[in-house]
Amino acid sequence: MIDRIALALSGGVGGAKLALGLSRVLDPQELVIVANTGDDFEHFGLHISPDVDTLLYTLAGINNPETGWGRAEETWSCMTVLKRLRDETWFRLGDKDIAMHLYRTARLKNGASLSEVIDGLRILLEIGPEVLPMSDQPVRTTLETNEGLMPFQQYFVRASCKPVVKALRFAGVSDAQMTPRFSHLLRSNDLRAIIICPSNPYLSIDPILAIPGVREGIARSPAPTIAVSPIVGGNAIKGPTAKLMSELGVPVSATAIVEHYKDSLDGFVLDEVDAGLAGSIEASGIACAVTNTVMKTLEDRTRLARVVLEFARTLSPTVQ
Amino acid sequence: MIDRIALALSGGVGGAKLALGLSRVLDPQELVIVANTGDDFEHFGLHISPDVDTLLYTLAGINNPETGWGRAEETWSCMTVLKRLRDETWFRLGDKDIAMHLYRTARLKNGASLSEVIDGLRILLEIGPEVLPMSDQPVRTTLETNEGLMPFQQYFVRASCKPVVKALRFAGVSDAQMTPRFSHLLRSNDLRAIIICPSNPYLSIDPILAIPGVREGIARSPAPTIAVSPIVGGNAIKGPTAKLMSELGVPVSATAIVEHYKDSLDGFVLDEVDAGLAGSIEASGIACAVTNTVMKTLEDRTRLARVVLEFARTLSPTVQ
């Protein structure tokens, strides 16, 4: 018997929380997570994949829950010396984190694909579910801002998301292909759900959707596609989502998220505080599930994962 | 008044000891150290310059005196994770050491020359005397061994110098140029001495001498050239010098070192235990100074530095 697979699309912190919840309620072979790599960049000659690493650390239980990025029990000897060298320390690299970047950089240099490298890391970190990069080719999120064109990390980390964003570009995306496994899953009949995690739609999910064939693949898949709202009560749980929506002239509401994803969506998971929006969303033809979407504890994560999976079951054309 | 400059050619550990001694008895502007970069290599995408860093750490007083390489008070978080990732851990990278490699790699990538990068590190580490790489172009020491052709670090670290060496190559050397400052000093009248430190002649000094124009520049310089013997009583103080000499069919003796350098040499500093060889060396036209060359303490280093400088003074054509 083939286990039916839930395919989750995720960025970093917020998405990783739901991915962790899904990993606790599904068997390892029932979950595949596709990670945004639009945030990847080269720094000091190292290939850094922030969203992938946040997912790997979270799934392995070695993430730093206080910062939301990086590893728990990290040390900072290298950074201390870099500071003395007055070098670029705006992107903080923990000593243990650097090991991931060294491993990835070396394997890529030796000809491995990003998929192969991430799968190697996943196995070595004893993570059950598959984690795939969206593409093995470089896609680089770049922001048009009031301070000029900015690569993602310059905007996100160095400038602390302060510049006003006018538009986003995903450099290289038209030449990028979905990773083979991602493409295969979108074409298969084994998917029980496509889950858009509550990550930033513009910065974390759109790079994935922008890869040629992804939107079409999602639309054609018999599996229901469900997004979990990253907006709760007119605000983002974390990060610059609300600020970015304002700057792009989009109302900061869960309804705007539905509008943003509408070509791909079958169902939408709305927070309890936004229950009043369910009627108008359902009127637009998108099913709604209302629940507490704020994930503070591991129990919150697993409970939300169960709600999403049950919601998907009800939306499935082959519901048993 | 121009301070007259001592120019020291050095590899790693043994050479760095004498360089430190020289730095303690000369004013900063009176000493320039040219470092072997034939050991440089790329590892995990990082540009690593082992001999340069050993010199910098030694001159800054932050070297690890127990290992002979790396930094004191080093931490190993990164290496611990790399071991878990079962990655190439044969070249040990301390967390603080990695900061040097990240700094160098980033600056080289941004277009700085190796000379500029090393000068930046020197200033930031508050080291007085200039430290120059022998060349800004890559020269890579490669060994022909009974196990095939080996890049230097594969031979030296990974294979612990165990393979039998048949010959040495300095890949890229015919296209390399001396760094501008090195070249300028060899042509200047400001040199009071050219000092070949007691480093491995084959692995550490020959790459420097192999750069086009270096041997000729040394021969033409009015300053006396003095080598300090790395062989004491038929053995090397440290490292594979003696083993290498045997494999290359050279008798393991201070006399063989004189023979090796003879086209460049005006004077030779011989250890007391080899005093008996002084007569035959002087008979071949090379002046000898006999002293204790074994540098265990800082006092040993400064004393030997003084002996070398005084010896140079006696050999100078313009002796006052």
Side-chain angles (χ1 to χ4, degrees):
Chain A
M1 188 198 125
I2 296 165
D3 297 294
R4 297 188 69 223
I5 292 169
L7 182 69
L9 313 186
S10 179
V13 187
K17 287 181 181 174
L18 182 57
L20 177 63
L22 290 165
S23 78
R24 294 298 179 104
V25 302
L26 295 168
D27 285 341
Q29 67 277 16
E30 292 178 322
L31 176 61
V32 177
I33 301 149
V34 173
N36 169 42
T37 54
D39 301 5
D40 285 22
F41 72 124
E42 284 240 335
H43 195 45
F44 293 113
L46 302 171
H47 184 109
I48 301 179
S49 297
D51 281 359
V52 169
D53 286 355
T54 295
L55 278 163
L56 294 176
Y57 292 156
T58 302
L59 293 167
I62 55 175
N63 60 307
N64 182 336
E66 276 144 52
T67 55
W69 52 268
R71 295 179 64 129
E73 294 171 35
E74 184 58 281
T75 67
W76 300 95
S77 295
C78 181
M79 227 45 199
T80 305
V81 176
L82 277 178
K83 271 194 188 123
R84 177 155 182 218
L85 299 180
R86 288 167 230 159
D87 212 321
E88 296 200 39
T89 49
W90 56 270
F91 193 90
R92 300 195 71 205
L93 292 166
D95 299 325
K96 294 179 183 177
D97 198 39
I98 288 170
M100 299 281 282
H101 311 322
L102 292 174
Y103 174 93
R104 181 166 29 237
T105 304
R107 287 210 53 199
L108 288 172
K109 197 170 179 182
N110 288 334
S113 68
L114 191 56
S115 304
E116 290 168 333
V117 175
I118 294 170
D119 207 53
L121 286 167
R122 176 185 75 81
I123 291 165
L124 292 164
L125 294 173
E126 295 171 17
I127 294 166
E130 277 178 81
V131 177
L132 310 175
M134 62 191 199
S135 177
D136 285 327
Q137 288 82 43
V139 177
R140 296 292 175 261
T141 300
T142 311
L143 297 104
E144 294 177 29
T145 78
N146 63 330
E147 298 175 22
L149 212 57
M150 287 192 162
F152 180 83
Q153 298 296 343
Q154 297 275 343
Y155 161 78
F156 194 74
V157 179
R158 190 170 209 174
S160 308
C161 304
K162 280 179 194 145
V164 177
V165 175
K166 298 171 184 174
L168 292 97
R169 299 183 196 174
F170 307 118
V173 78
S174 56
D175 295 324
Q177 290 119 46
M178 279 180 261
T179 41
R181 175 80 170 138
F182 182 19
S183 174
H184 173 261
L185 285 170
L186 280 187
R187 282 182 281 105
S188 83
N189 292 317
D190 298 337
L191 288 188
R192 68 202 273 175
I194 298 169
I195 300 163
I196 299 177
C197 290
S199 294
N200 188 308
Y202 307 92
L203 297 173
S204 302
I205 302 297
D206 279 1
I208 305 176
L209 299 178
I211 296 170
V214 173
R215 283 182 211 273
E216 298 81 343
I218 289 174
R220 267 202 307 265
S221 171
T225 302
I226 293 168
V228 177
S229 183
I231 295 291
V232 174
N235 238 310
I237 299 299
K238 200 176 185 309
T241 311
K243 176 174 179 286
L244 199 57
M245 292 175 86
S246 303
E247 291 166 2
L248 295 172
V250 177
V252 184
S253 74
T255 314
I257 304 290
V258 174
E259 182 65 22
H260 184 77
Y261 287 140
K262 70 168 184 286
D263 295 339
S264 308
L265 232 48
D266 299 295
F268 190 70
V269 178
L270 199 62
D271 193 79
E272 290 164 344
V273 303
D274 293 316
L277 302 172
S280 67
I281 293 170
E282 297 216 310
S284 74
I286 310 288
C288 270
V290 176
T291 190
N292 172 21
T293 63
V294 182
M295 294 175 281
K296 288 184 179 158
T297 65
L298 181 60
E299 289 63 39
D300 293 337
R301 292 161 176 70
T302 54
R303 197 195 50 74
L304 182 58
R306 280 200 190 89
V307 169
V308 170
L309 291 167
E310 175 54 23
F311 185 34
R313 203 184 61 76
T314 67
L315 295 176
S316 175
T318 57
V319 59
Q320 286 94 22
Chain B
M1 190 198 121
I2 297 164
D3 296 295
R4 298 189 67 222
I5 292 169
L7 181 69
L9 312 185
S10 178
V13 187
K17 286 181 184 176
L18 182 57
L20 177 62
L22 290 165
S23 77
R24 295 299 180 103
V25 301
L26 294 169
D27 284 341
Q29 68 275 18
E30 292 179 321
L31 175 63
V32 177
I33 301 149
V34 173
N36 169 41
T37 56
D39 300 7
D40 285 24
F41 72 125
E42 284 239 337
H43 195 44
F44 293 114
L46 302 172
H47 184 108
I48 301 178
S49 297
D51 281 358
V52 169
D53 285 356
T54 295
L55 277 163
L56 293 177
Y57 292 155
T58 301
L59 293 168
I62 56 174
N63 60 306
N64 183 336
E66 275 144 52
T67 55
W69 52 268
R71 294 178 64 127
E73 294 171 36
E74 185 57 282
T75 67
W76 300 95
S77 293
C78 181
M79 229 41 202
T80 306
V81 176
L82 277 178
K83 271 194 188 127
R84 174 148 185 223
L85 299 180
R86 286 166 233 162
D87 212 321
E88 295 199 42
T89 49
W90 55 270
F91 193 89
R92 300 196 71 204
L93 292 165
D95 299 325
K96 295 179 182 177
D97 197 40
I98 287 170
M100 300 280 282
H101 311 322
L102 292 174
Y103 173 94
R104 182 166 29 235
T105 303
R107 288 210 54 198
L108 288 172
K109 198 171 178 183
N110 288 335
S113 68
L114 191 57
S115 303
E116 290 167 333
V117 175
I118 293 170
D119 207 52
L121 287 166
R122 174 185 75 82
I123 291 165
L124 292 163
L125 294 174
E126 296 171 15
I127 294 166
E130 277 178 83
V131 178
L132 310 174
M134 62 191 199
S135 176
D136 285 327
Q137 288 82 44
V139 177
R140 296 293 175 260
T141 300
T142 310
L143 297 103
E144 293 177 31
T145 77
N146 63 330
E147 298 176 22
L149 212 56
M150 288 193 162
F152 179 82
Q153 299 296 343
Q154 297 275 343
Y155 162 79
F156 193 73
V157 179
R158 192 170 206 171
S160 309
C161 305
K162 280 179 193 146
V164 177
V165 175
K166 299 172 186 172
L168 292 98
R169 300 183 197 175
F170 308 117
V173 78
S174 56
D175 295 324
Q177 290 120 45
M178 279 181 259
T179 41
R181 175 80 172 137
F182 182 19
S183 174
H184 172 262
L185 285 170
L186 280 188
R187 281 181 283 105
S188 83
N189 291 318
D190 297 337
L191 288 188
R192 68 201 272 175
I194 299 169
I195 301 163
I196 300 177
C197 291
S199 294
N200 188 308
Y202 307 93
L203 297 174
S204 302
I205 303 298
D206 279 0
I208 306 177
L209 299 179
I211 295 171
V214 173
R215 283 182 212 274
E216 297 81 344
I218 289 173
R220 267 202 307 265
S221 171
T225 303
I226 293 168
V228 177
S229 183
I231 294 291
V232 173
N235 238 311
I237 298 298
K238 202 179 184 306
T241 311
K243 175 173 179 288
L244 199 58
M245 291 175 85
S246 303
E247 290 166 4
L248 294 172
V250 176
V252 184
S253 74
T255 313
I257 303 292
V258 175
E259 181 65 20
H260 184 75
Y261 286 139
K262 68 168 184 286
D263 295 338
S264 309
L265 232 47
D266 299 295
F268 191 70
V269 179
L270 198 63
D271 193 80
E272 291 163 344
V273 304
D274 293 316
L277 302 172
S280 66
I281 292 170
E282 297 217 309
S284 74
I286 310 288
C288 270
V290 176
T291 189
N292 173 20
T293 64
V294 183
M295 293 176 280
K296 287 184 180 158
T297 65
L298 181 60
E299 288 63 40
D300 292 337
R301 292 160 176 72
T302 54
R303 198 195 48 74
L304 181 58
R306 281 200 190 90
V307 168
V308 171
L309 291 167
E310 174 55 24
F311 186 34
R313 202 184 63 75
T314 65
L315 294 176
S316 174
T318 58
V319 60
Q320 285 94 22

